Amino acid sequence: MTMSLTTTSRPMSRRSTQRTTAAAGQGGSDIDVRLVARSIAQAALEVLAGTRPVHQLSRSLDSACYLSLQHRAALTRKHAARSRGTAQPHRSPMVRSVRVCSISEAICEASIVVAEEQRCRAVAMRLERLDGVWQVTALEIG
């Protein structure tokens, strides 16, 4: 699965304003959306690796994203069982970078680069703030 993203260059002063708005939220006391995106991406890849139960993400993902991740994790487990035969030790994926773009006060999009044992992966997500809590409404894992 390939994703492409085209962006236009903006002046530095506008960039810093956008990043502050996306990170701090309305009153500045909200949890940094970059930290939320980072932890959800890490957890989602751990679900796919089989080291974390998917139900731990039930509050962070909307129902469509949750069901999609659950289905993909099941397919990944079946494929791994057929190709490996025996369980191999697994090291946790490491988040290398997080970029956040504020769409509005309550909507952000994030792109995350995650390094695994033998490759790097891209994760893209759309986060929406519902009742003061960030929830993922779109999730793509490359």
Side-chain angles (χ1 to χ4, degrees), residues 78-132:
K78 284 181 187 177
H79 176 72
R82 270 187 257 146
S83 62
R84 271 193 246 151
T86 60
Q88 296 176 343
H90 172 77
R91 280 187 263 162
S92 241
M94 292 182 57
V95 175
R96 295 292 183 193
S97 69
V98 179
R99 302 275 189 238
V100 173
C101 176
S102 177
I103 305 302
S104 70
E105 275 190 24
I107 300 172
C108 291
E109 292 181 347
S111 60
I112 300 103
V113 176
V114 181
E116 290 184 324
E117 289 178 33
Q118 298 179 8
R119 65 178 178 163
C120 286
R121 300 177 88 161
V123 178
M125 66 179 69
R126 182 179 183 99
L127 298 113
E128 297 183 19
R129 189 173 28 218
L130 305 166
D131 298 326

Side-chain angles (χ1 to χ4, degrees), residues 60-62 64-65 126-128 130 135-139:
S60 301
L61 304 176
D62 73 355
C65 290
R126 182 179 183 99
L127 298 113
E128 297 183 19
L130 305 166
Q135 186 176 47
V136 176
T137 57
L139 178 65

